[in-house]
Each structure stands twice: as C-alpha cells, then as structure tokens.
Amino acid sequence: MKRLQTCLWPILLLPMLAFGGHRMDMDSMVMNENPMTLPEGCQKIAGDQKITVHAGRKHAKKFPGVVFAYDQQSWDVDPCTRLTVHFVNDDDIRHQFMVHGLPEKTYPEGMFTIEVSGPGEETASFILPPYKKTYLVHCDIAQHTEHGMKAQIKVAGGDKDLASLPGLTKPVRPDRYPTVWNTQSVIFLVLALAGGLVLVWGGRWLFKAMSD
Ligand SMILES: [Cu+2]
C-alpha cells in the first residue's frame, strides 16, 4: 500500500504543478475592490449600478487623432452607489480602468483599478462617496491617456467636466500639427518670399537713391 502511495504522489503532483494549486490569474488584476465598506458620509449603500466598459483601438476610430478609447467617456452615478464595473479589453495589449480621487481612508492612494491583459474581461465593485464630484478614469499604461483612453464618473452631476475626453470635451492645450504641404501652402510661401525680396530690393534701391 505504501509503495502504491509513493507511486501515486508524482502522478497526482504533476497536474497540480501544471495547473497551479490556486488560481493565478495572469491576465487580470483588481486593486482596492470594495463592495462593502461605506465611504465616510454614506449611511448605507444607496443602490447598485452596473456598467460594462469596453476598451480598445476600435472604439477610438470615430475620434480623429485618437488611438485608444473606452466605448463611453462619461457615466452618471448617484451618491453612495455601489458601482460594479464589467471591464472588457477588446485589444491584444494591456488596458486599465483606473479611477482617481476617491477618499484615501477607504481607497489607498484614492484609487480603484481593474487591469486586463487583453483580449479579456474582469468585473469588480466599489462604492462611491456621498458628495458632488467628478472622478478621473483613465488607462495609466504609457501614453494611453494622451492617446485618448480617458473618461469621467460624475457623482450627483459632478463638479466639472474633465478636459480631453474624446468626442466630449476640448483639450486644455490643443495639439500642434506640422505644416500641411499642399498647393495653397506652397503658393503662400512663394508669395511671402517674393514679398520679402521686393521689400529688401526696394529698400536698398530707396537707400541708394537717397544717398546719391
Ligand atoms: Cu490602455
């Protein structure tokens, strides 16, 4: 019997090594999930709201100059609501649904984050505070926010609209684009150069005529 056990152990151990003793989800990560703890000022969970958020390149196509985007840029939520976010990453790279500015007593560094290495999805909940405020939602992967993966959650109507939300709000500083070379811009340049030459030659002629 003992010999049988000794023989069985490696057989039992192999699948454990192959699939892992506990779930090691390498494709997604949730930070500061909070389905129960009330943020300061909330007497109870006012209600439940569920949103599905898609992230990826295909959601940016309708916005000129935008590379990455969520399928929606603004969500309205009532105070003390438990918001369940079903985050779907439609790309084959990493994206995040990262909320900033939450009360640090309940949310370390004021953040709630879902991250998914796509394609894939993850669901998590957090409870919003009681006061009127707009929260930044973005993807913190290098350059993804600048390229359009930015949104907002407005509690009780929010206290403002954030800048640079694709299709919703203007950037604080507009992007500067290099000169577009077409017939018009070439004619303009030639005319400007000719005008400059005329001024220089005219000036020299006038100076000469006056000094003679
Ligand atoms: Cu991203």
Side-chain angles (χ1 to χ4, degrees), residues 55 68 70 89 91 93-96 139-141 144-145 149:
F68 303 113
Y70 300 117
N89 181 352
D91 279 346
I93 54 168
R94 223 154 31 109
H95 284 310
Q96 298 165 332
C139 175
D140 201 35
I141 309 293
H144 286 202
T145 307
M149 202 159 270

Side-chain angles (χ1 to χ4, degrees), residues 27 43 52 63 70 87 93 99 108 137:
D27 296 330
Q43 304 306 314
T52 297
F63 307 118
Y70 300 117
F87 184 53
I93 54 168
V99 185
V137 181

